Each structure stands twice: as structure tokens, then as C-alpha cells.
Amino acid sequence: MRKILFIHPRVGYMDAQRNRPAPPLGILAAVSFLKNTYEINVLDQRLFSSDRHFYDRLRFLLQEKPLYVGLSVYTGKMITFALEISTYIKENSSIPVVWGGIHPSLLPKQTLENPYIDYVIQGEGELTLPEFSDMLAVHGQNLPPIKGVWLKKEEGISFGGERDFVNLHMMPAIPYELIDLNHYVQYYNGKKYIYYQATRGCPRQCAYCYNLVFNKGKFRANPVEKIIGEIKNLRENFFFEGIYFIDDNIFALGKEYIMNLGEGLSRIGLSWAVQGSDIVALKEYTEDDFKVLENFGLTRLTVGVESASGKIRTLINKKGNATDIEQVMRRLSKTNILIWCSYIINFPGETLQDLRESIRFILRLQKINRNVRNSPFYKYTPYPGTPLYERYKDIFPGPEKLEEWGRVGYERKHSDIFVDHLKDPAFFQSLFLTSLLDDNKVSDFSESKLLICLANGYRPIARWRLKKLFFNFNIELFLFKKFFPDIF
């Protein structure tokens, strides 16, 4: 049986944020049909204590002459790590290098212009990878057109055409057995959580979101019965106490779906947390509904607020308003469910007043509901093909080469800046730090008593600086950058 090697590069900021990495679910899903006919190895750079150990392992696996090496990549620092790995492979072997994931799917031609990348799998890989692998095994690199595959030919870069989405109902269970799940278990409230994806896409039309390009605005879901059955089977092989749903907007499936899902998880005896939900979907729920969900084991959900400014919400086509959000937070205040609210800045036309409006809103929500947490302020990064990008592409120069995207990201100082008040890197970094430490986030997720103590002591200063936007004499930023250099 031929071998294929898949690699998950380091990410950057998210590696520093978590005590353990998220599992490579994108890779596992992509190989779910492939694993029956090829021997799959998954190498995760995030699990290695040093580059030397990682590249020692990579060198050994390359000696086994896999059919190709596939890397899953999204925009930001991860590109830098992925390029270093790809360069090493091409300089030390003749094995083809294949990139997939969100970034190469959004910019396949620019990605493939890099000399260290041979193929790009655009979009979902489940149906494309088996055909691509079989063709590569038979024809070598003289491949005929394959749907979903970008490749290099003598006459230039060519594309085999778009491939339809996979039917989630027909998908086999995610092959968690290809990894050691113990490396990826997250601890939350003293319980072991594993990651799971129930849906793909989102029905909303937020103008900045990659979903409109990558998932073409389509929203697909697994049936509740299939989800519960797969999780039951997982429990027979792995010990865990909770499920973390990484979906972009699972609550948009409606109250009946969520209630049935919660009830099913409760019968198994599992807690659960939700990464993605929007305020339009959550408005359906009453105080009693949220109490029922808490009894069903819901411990946390995330709400994409992005901005409290009505002007910015209209610009980015974010449905719902500040009043809706406050109403939902009041209903949730009758429970112990933790709520994370995400925020984005750096939208075209945004003013300092828009930023202050969001800061006031953050502080107001913290008073309405003691369980509200806010994400740090992240920078808007324009993704090609999204409506906001197309509207303002005259001011979105964007990196001209793949390697330049590695210096871009929602927390990176090299990201394009579209508003004057963010052009000073120290201003954004101070804003990021104070919005990171203005509530109990560290206590919620860190096991370090020292770190929790320091964060609790700094919180009043963080809130004062955030409220006043006063970042002069910021020695704490200097110390933070010294001890956490990967953040910025």
C-alpha cells in the first residue's frame, strides 16, 4: 500500500494561546475516503519541541518515499512555516508537494507560482484527493485535468475545474485514529474536551467572511443522529468528557436541531461548547431555553459581534444590532454559560469613534452578564473574492507573492492598515493586550496560578487603559512582548 504524508505546520499566535493545539481536523476530514486505499501518516509540527526534532522526523518519513506530501495552510504566519517545510522537502527529495486549505483555495494561482509547491487542491479534499492520488500513482506528474486540482504545465498553470461539495450525510466518520488524540485534548473547567465539526459553511452573508468564497455561501449539516452515533463510537476508544464544536455558526440550524443535539449529548453524559453562533440565531432562545441548554451540558458559546458601531455593522452586512446582543446577554445571564464575543477592527472608513463605541459596548456587556468575555481586537484582513474586498479592492493592494502573506494576519503588525489610528504598531499592540486581559479569560483557560495572579492584578489597569485609550508609558507591553514573542 502506497504511503502519503500530510503535514500540519505551526500556526503562530494560536499556538501560543492554547496549552495544546487543536487537532488537524481539516486533514483528517480530507483523507476520510483516502485512508482505505493508502497508508496515511499525519505529521504535526506543533507537537515538536524544536525544529530539529521535527525535521529529523520529516527526513525519516521522506526516506519512505511517500507518493506526495500534503500541507494544510491558512492565511498568516502558518504560510511561513509551510514554506520552510516545502522548501526542505523539495531541496532534499523529488517528492511532490501539495497544498490545500483555505489560503491556497482562495489564491490558488498565486500559491502555485511558488517554486516549492507542485499542486494545489482547491476547496474540499474528500472527493478530490482519491482521484488525484490514483492519477499521480499511475501517470506520475504528467497528470490529465482533475476537478479541484491546480497544477503546473509547460504552458503555465492550469485548473481542472470546480468540484461539487461532498454530501456530508455520506461522509464516513472522521478518522481520529490516525492521530494520538491525547496530544490534542483541551482542558476546560477541569474536563477533557475534544474537537468535532458538525456543519460546514454559514447561511449569513457577512461581507468580509471567507465562507462566501470557500463554501460559496452554502450551509450544510450532518444529521443529529449521525453526530451522536459518531461521538458514541469515539467514546469507545478515547476518554473525554466534553465536545468542542468548531462550526462557524451551528446555532443557525435552528432551535429544534440544537435542542435535539443537546439532548443527545446529555444522554451520553457529555458537556459541550460551541465556537460559532450569531446573534440572529440566538434571539430565538428564551431564558428558559438557555437554562435547558445548560442542563443539557452547554458550557460555552461564541458570538460574532465584530463591532458595536451601526455604521460598521451595515458596512460588513452583519445582521442584528447592539440592542439584540444586549437582550441575548441578559437572557444568558440567568445561566452559567460562558459567552465569548469576538471583535474586529481596521475596516475601511472606520473611525476612532467607532472603536470607542465597541469598547463602551464591551464594558457594558461585562456589567450585564458576568460570564461575558471579549476576544482581543483583531485586525480585518481582506480575503480576495469576498464582497468587501471587491468593493474596496482599489485600496487593498494585498501581497503580490505567497511568502508575503506569511507576514499578514489579524494580530500581525505587517497587515495592511486602512485606518489612521492603527498605523502606529504600538497602539494596536497595546489595544490587543488590554482587550486580552480586561476580563477573566486567563482564569478560564490557564492552569498557571502565577499567570492567573498576574492577570487578575493587571485587570484594573487594562480596563482603565482600554476605556481611556491611554497607552503611554506602557511597560507592560514591553514585558508581554519579551515573554510572548510569538503573539506579535
Side-chain angles (χ1 to χ4, degrees), residues 121-122 124-133 146-149 163:
I121 305 297
Q122 185 172 28
E124 296 178 337
E126 287 88 344
L127 300 179
T128 303
L129 282 176
E131 182 179 354
F132 168 75
S133 302
I146 302 170
K147 285 186 178 180
V149 178
R163 186 180 289 274

Side-chain angles (χ1 to χ4, degrees), residues 7 9-10 43-45 48-63 71 80-92:
I7 298 177
R10 285 201 190 98
L43 184 63
D44 194 332
Q45 189 181 25
F48 288 82
S49 58
S50 70
D51 280 348
R52 182 175 65 83
H53 291 137
F54 168 75
Y55 281 102
D56 283 347
R57 181 61 180 165
L58 175 57
R59 182 169 60 253
F60 172 80
L61 292 173
L62 291 178
Q63 290 171 356
L71 294 93
T80 300
F81 296 121
L83 277 174
E84 290 172 355
I85 295 168
S86 301
T87 302
Y88 179 88
I89 294 169
K90 299 304 292 182
E91 290 181 348
N92 291 275

Side-chain angles (χ1 to χ4, degrees), residues 131-144:
E131 182 179 354
F132 168 75
S133 302
D134 291 347
M135 288 289 188
L136 190 63
V138 172
H139 298 282
Q141 297 200 52
N142 186 26
L143 289 178

Side-chain angles (χ1 to χ4, degrees), residues 73-203:
V73 188
Y74 53 82
T75 308
K77 188 71 176 292
M78 192 179 193
I79 289 174
T80 300
F81 296 121
L83 277 174
E84 290 172 355
I85 295 168
S86 301
T87 302
Y88 179 88
I89 294 169
K90 299 304 292 182
E91 290 181 348
N92 291 275
S93 77
S94 59
I95 297 168
V97 172
V98 182
W99 276 34
I102 293 174
H103 187 89
S105 292
L106 296 181
L107 291 170
K109 187 173 184 297
Q110 186 190 75
T111 300
L112 206 52
E113 287 170 350
N114 187 279
Y116 298 105
I117 303 167
D118 299 301
Y119 302 96
V120 164
I121 305 297
Q122 185 172 28
E124 296 178 337
E126 287 88 344
L127 300 179
T128 303
L129 282 176
E131 182 179 354
F132 168 75
S133 302
D134 291 347
M135 288 289 188
L136 190 63
V138 172
H139 298 282
Q141 297 200 52
N142 186 26
L143 289 178
I146 302 170
K147 285 186 178 180
V149 178
W150 290 74
L151 52 82
K152 295 172 181 174
K153 289 185 174 292
E154 289 185 3
E155 59 272 21
I157 293 172
S158 68
F159 179 45
E162 293 191 0
R163 186 180 289 274
D164 292 337
F165 289 130
V166 65
N167 183 343
L168 295 187
H169 294 218
M170 304 300 293
M171 277 277 295
I174 297 297
Y176 286 91
E177 67 274 9
L178 295 178
I179 60 173
D180 183 349
L181 201 54
N182 293 313
H183 291 312
Y184 302 97
V185 170
Q186 297 286 327
Y187 285 88
Y188 176 56
N189 283 343
K191 293 184 177 180
K192 289 185 175 182
Y193 277 67
I194 66 164
Y195 287 63
Y196 185 93
Q197 185 175 23
T199 68
R200 294 188 185 179
C202 176

